[in-house]
Amino acid sequence: MKENDMLEKEEIFSKVLRAGRRTYFFDVRATKADDYYITITESKKFTEEDGSFHFKKHKIYLYKEDFVAFKEILTEMTDYVLENKGEEVISERHQKDFRKFFGEKGEEAVTTESFTDVDFDDI
């Protein structure tokens, strides 16, 4: 059995964060020496034109000696983003058809396509 297979079996504690097309897995694992470390795995679903799909995964291994510095920097970065950009999510603006439904500044665009054609002679 490979060493990687052994590491994957030593899962101690897990949490899952589902976020749209992405899922984040937070796992506490044990080394052969019975010490703990954390893995953070991002799994993103990609759908093909034919309807089939696949997942791309990226994994970070975080060891105890890096916990304090990692936590400090993560807190600093998340605080910075929230202080400067707030909690509003604007990523929808990057979708292919965003400008079709919304104007340049993000307001809902009103087009005649959304109106029902009514012939007043029928009333």
Side-chain angles (χ1 to χ4, degrees), residues 2 27 33 43-44 50 58 62 76 87 98 107 113:
K2 290 189 222 173
D27 299 302
S43 178
K44 187 173 179 183
D50 65 359
H58 299 93
L62 186 60
E76 181 181 356
E87 293 186 24
F98 178 80
E107 318 73 55
E113 293 171 3

Side-chain angles (χ1 to χ4, degrees), residues 1-12 28-30 37:
M1 186 176 284
K2 290 189 222 173
E3 183 176 334
N4 233 5
D5 294 337
M6 282 297 295
L7 288 176
E8 296 301 319
K9 289 186 177 191
E10 296 299 324
E11 191 173 291
I12 308 301
V28 174
R29 299 183 184 276
Y37 65 99

Side-chain angles (χ1 to χ4, degrees), residues 74-92:
L74 181 62
T75 299
E76 181 181 356
M77 296 306 230
T78 55
D79 289 348
Y80 179 86
V81 170
L82 295 174
E83 287 169 12
N84 288 280
K85 292 295 183 180
E87 293 186 24
E88 178 189 6
V89 178
I90 59 173
S91 61
E92 288 82 15

Side-chain angles (χ1 to χ4, degrees), residues 56-73:
K56 286 189 179 179
K57 295 182 180 182
H58 299 93
K59 188 174 282 200
I60 295 172
Y61 292 84
L62 186 60
Y63 298 95
K64 286 191 317 187
E65 60 267 24
D66 302 320
F67 285 3
V68 172
F70 187 92
K71 184 178 176 181
E72 287 173 358
I73 292 172

Side-chain angles (χ1 to χ4, degrees), residues 8-53:
E8 296 301 319
K9 289 186 177 191
E10 296 299 324
E11 191 173 291
I12 308 301
F13 180 69
S14 295
K15 291 278 188 173
V16 176
L17 171 62
R18 288 179 181 30
R21 292 183 347 184
R22 300 177 200 277
T23 302
Y24 299 96
F25 299 92
F26 298 85
D27 299 302
V28 174
R29 299 183 184 276
T31 64
K32 287 183 180 182
D34 201 32
D35 201 4
Y36 291 171
Y37 65 99
I38 296 172
T39 60
I40 303 170
T41 306
E42 175 202 39
S43 178
K44 187 173 179 183
K45 185 176 183 178
F46 289 89
T47 306
E48 304 294 339
E49 289 182 17
D50 65 359
S52 64
F53 59 90

